[in-house]
Amino acid sequence: MVGNAVNHGFALGNNLAMPAANGEFLVFLNNDTEVTPGWLDPLIESLADPAVLGAQALLLYPDGTIQSAGVAFPSCGGLPHALLQGFPRRDANGLGGARFSALTAAALAMRRRDFLAMRGFDALFRNGMEDVDLGLRMISERDGSFVVRPDAVVVHHESKTPGRFATSLANRRILLDRWRDRMPGDDVELWSHVGYEVVRHDVGEHVSDDRRLTPPVPILRRVPTITATEPERPSLRWAIKNPAPNDPSAEFWGDTHFARLLAAALEGLGQQVTIDHRPAFERASGTFDDVVLVLRGVAPYRPQYGQVNLGWLISHPEMLSRHEASSYDRLFAASAVWADAASRAWGIRVDSLLQATDPVLFNPDRARPDTGHPVLFVGSSRRMVRPIVRDAISAGMPVAIFGREWEGIIPDGYVKAEYLGHDAVGAAYRAAGLVLNDHWEDMRTAGFLSNRLFDAVGSGARVITDDVAGLGTMFGRSVQVARDQADLASFAALSDLDEVFGDDAERRAVAARVHAEHSFAVRAEVLLDAALEIRRRVISAAPRDATALASQVG
């Protein structure tokens, strides 16, 4: 480690540290970044190509949107901008063949000998534009270009260093004075790689009396994807709004896995799908989305005009107001009981669309029955007593729990692990003797059948659940209701579970029906048909001479 008594800034600080590096490669990494697993290997791999002068990681904001996917120079001249800034990560997938003239050094790998040949960064720049200048110097003196690797992801907690922008205008002026007539002007080509056409450039409010110091912003138009096989079902751009936060805890949210499986099903129908976690619900680049699908749970959403807005209420119906419900172009609810009641009470259309399962992850072939835990519950405590777990333990059932925050709520020894990977849950359900299920009270009384029911039954499991409105005989004998501890005790006393829950052949038949009627693929068909119907209605009602306006994202 090389330490300095004072902060010399990015350019000079790295130049002073460079002599201590003796490897083949140099990696520059800002102090306000957070790397993800496997981020470095793709960058070094890119440098195996002699034509690659440097490789940058895909930089994301903490909300999951892109901070920088490389540096683009306006075709009209002027200061460069970060490609795809504020766009969803999915948009960077088209960067495979893109070649850049400069990159940001917040997460950059290059050869040590190349950096030495350039004599490092120019210390005239103070915390800004030194990386752009380095790139321009390199491509002006040698063959080659730079690349961005979308599979190398680094989170950039941008501009956390005090005084970061103190010399911003001076840095811009130096860059322009040095390179004004030699800027690459490559942004039209770079935006085309990721599916956008640059319509023109615009300049907003000037940052200085020197008008050159305000970067021109590209006004973009998304290039539609043409599907010749099914012209009546075009490839639309979808944004699924997942109410989970964008941090590691999101993996413990059922909404996260639900969103991923639904996205995969829509993509199987030729759709383009990105998932926005709660912090990115209202990203500016959302203006390019054709369809917004809100998985309505604990987080509200404010629909906007210019796109199809679908709401799917999958949990916590008490949090949805009539005002928000009426703002969607179409509202679905994961309860036939609630959908019917809301339609009558609010005077708006609410369609029933129950939750779903994935037949690949949840099917009877994942394991053999009765080879796993005798009684299984997968879920957190929600920091409260969950009656079905409490009563099962009181009834003497050997419950194995996979979930968090059970300390002090139940006796020790029942929690086997805090987390069971989503890919392993189906096999665990199938192997268990019994699977326990319950609902939030508001969802139970409103008839919101939990996703766990579809997954467990789809796995061929025997399921005990609390009584939920609308359950009826939907899952046949595979699901049995326990209303109290006495009911659970009677299940614990059974010598032959199949007499009550049906034998394996019967449960397989129920699982097959669940797969046929309640898969994510089936739900995706319904949602796509709804989106297309709304689009056709809107387009037919629009004036014939209407033109679409390009959107500005800066």
Side-chain angles (χ1 to χ4, degrees):
M1 176 180 289
V2 177
N4 293 298
V6 297
N7 184 351
H8 292 294
F10 186 87
L12 183 56
N14 277 293
N15 289 349
L16 292 173
M18 191 276 300
N22 53 21
E24 182 181 356
F25 305 108
L26 295 176
V27 178
F28 302 99
L29 189 67
N30 274 20
N31 61 349
D32 55 0
T33 57
E34 177 185 349
V35 300
T36 64
W39 71 282
L40 185 56
D41 289 345
L43 303 184
I44 303 304
E45 174 189 280
S46 293
L47 295 175
D49 182 352
V52 173
L53 303 177
Q56 178 200 309
L58 181 66
L59 294 169
L60 302 182
Y61 286 120
D63 68 1
T65 60
I66 296 172
Q67 187 269 323
S68 172
V71 175
F73 294 84
S75 60
C76 63
L79 292 164
H81 58 271
L83 189 71
L84 286 174
Q85 189 170 75
F87 283 71
R89 177 178 171 181
R90 184 188 187 282
D91 279 347
N93 292 344
L95 287 175
R99 293 295 178 263
F100 292 82
S101 300
L103 301 173
T104 174
L108 172 67
M110 58 186 302
R111 299 177 190 85
R112 180 175 180 272
R113 66 174 183 273
D114 292 339
F115 190 73
L116 284 171
M118 293 293 108
R119 298 186 178 182
F121 296 111
D122 189 335
L124 279 176
F125 296 95
R126 176 78 179 185
N127 295 333
M129 298 296 177
E130 58 274 276
D131 43 10
V132 176
D133 173 74
L134 176 65
L136 293 175
R137 283 191 283 132
M138 290 185 71
I139 66 168
S140 68
E141 295 186 18
R142 62 188 59 201
D143 294 331
S145 57
F146 297 88
V147 299
V148 173
R149 290 295 298 257
D151 53 347
V153 177
V154 171
V155 179
H156 194 186
H157 300 265
E158 191 181 33
S159 307
K160 297 299 183 183
T161 302
R164 167 70 174 80
F165 294 108
T167 57
S168 174
L169 296 183
N171 292 329
R172 294 181 183 185
R173 186 173 288 111
I174 295 170
L175 188 78
L176 284 174
D177 288 346
R178 179 176 294 176
W179 296 101
R180 178 177 55 190
D181 298 327
R182 293 180 289 162
M183 294 287 194
D186 57 10
D187 73 334
V188 171
E189 179 183 353
L190 290 172
W191 279 106
S192 71
H193 273 281
V194 291
Y196 292 89
E197 175 188 354
V198 177
V199 178
R200 67 179 190 278
H201 292 86
D202 197 9
V203 177
E205 184 177 350
H206 290 286
V207 299
S208 166
D209 291 338
D210 186 345
R211 296 160 66 92
R212 304 175 310 153
L213 303 186
T214 303
V217 175
I219 305 301
L220 306 170
R221 186 184 73 87
R222 185 168 61 84
V223 179
T225 300
I226 306 299
T227 53
T229 54
E230 291 189 83
E232 73 282 1
R233 300 182 79 175
S235 180
L236 303 179
R237 179 182 172 98
W238 293 64
I240 296 179
K241 306 297 182 179
N242 171 15
N246 190 52
D247 60 36
S249 70
E251 292 301 313
F252 296 95
W253 286 58
D255 309 73
T256 297
H257 304 290
F258 193 95
R260 288 174 184 164
L261 292 171
L262 181 57
L266 286 165
E267 288 171 345
L269 296 176
Q271 304 303 293
Q272 307 165 54
V273 188
T274 189
I275 299 173
D276 294 323
H277 288 244
R278 193 190 313 177
F281 266 21
E282 297 181 6
R283 56 179 167 80
S285 60
T287 187
F288 294 105
D289 300 329
D290 296 314
V291 184
V292 170
L293 173 59
V294 181
L295 299 181
R296 185 57 166 93
V298 298
Y301 179 74
R302 297 176 292 182
Q304 62 180 347
Y305 289 110
Q307 51 201 188
V308 175
N309 290 285
L310 304 178
W312 191 359
L313 181 65
I314 60 175
S315 65
H316 298 290
E318 80 285 357
M319 294 186 177
L320 181 70
S321 67
R322 184 195 184 283
H323 174 72
E324 182 185 344
S326 62
S327 69
Y328 295 105
D329 295 306
R330 185 74 59 81
L331 178 64
F332 299 91
S335 165
V337 175
W338 189 92
D340 181 63
S343 295
R344 287 185 280 102
W346 288 346
I348 62 176
R349 176 179 177 178
V350 182
D351 293 323
S352 171
L353 192 65
L354 302 182
Q355 294 214 32
T357 190
D358 177 12
V360 174
L361 290 175
F362 300 95
N363 70 77
D365 294 327
R366 294 292 310 277
R368 290 187 297 109
D370 302 308
T371 58
H373 298 285
V375 183
L376 174 67
F377 182 81
V378 180
S380 70
S381 71
R382 300 174 182 160
R383 297 181 180 177
M384 62 180 69
V385 174
R386 298 184 72 154
I388 200 162
V389 174
R390 176 200 61 202
D391 291 347
I393 292 174
S394 297
M397 301 178 81
V399 183
I401 297 174
F402 290 83
R404 299 187 302 162
E405 300 172 338
W406 287 98
E407 297 82 1
I409 295 177
I410 59 173
D412 294 340
Y414 289 95
V415 177
K416 305 306 177 185
E418 287 195 341
Y419 183 67
L420 182 63
H422 191 67
D423 291 348
V425 174
Y429 284 161
R430 174 59 169 165
L434 292 167
V435 174
L436 299 180
N437 176 71
D438 66 353
H439 299 78
W440 287 95
E441 181 61 20
D442 60 311
M443 294 176 63
R444 187 186 71 80
T445 57
F448 282 78
L449 304 176
S450 74
N451 186 247
R452 188 188 293 110
L453 283 172
F454 294 90
D455 289 344
V457 175
S459 301
R462 310 179 188 95
V463 184
I464 300 175
T465 185
D466 50 4
D467 195 9
V468 54
L471 176 62
T473 59
M474 180 176 175
F475 298 111
R477 295 202 297 165
S478 294
V479 175
Q480 299 292 325
V481 171
R483 293 174 176 81
D484 51 35
Q485 182 179 328
D487 285 346
L488 284 163
S490 67
F491 288 122
L494 289 173
S495 58
D496 185 357
L497 293 174
D498 287 354
E499 286 186 2
V500 174
F501 292 88
D503 62 17
D504 190 52
E506 182 178 338
R507 296 199 307 277
R508 279 181 173 273
V510 176
R513 178 165 54 79
V514 167
H515 293 162
E517 299 176 5
H518 303 291
S519 69
F520 280 98
V522 172
R523 301 293 185 258
E525 290 275 2
V526 173
L527 294 166
L528 178 55
D529 286 346
L532 292 174
E533 187 274 326
I534 294 167
R535 273 175 61 87
R536 284 192 292 266
R537 188 173 69 240
V538 171
I539 291 173
S540 65
R544 290 187 179 276
D545 61 347
T547 57
L549 295 178
S551 299
Q552 175 176 326
V553 176

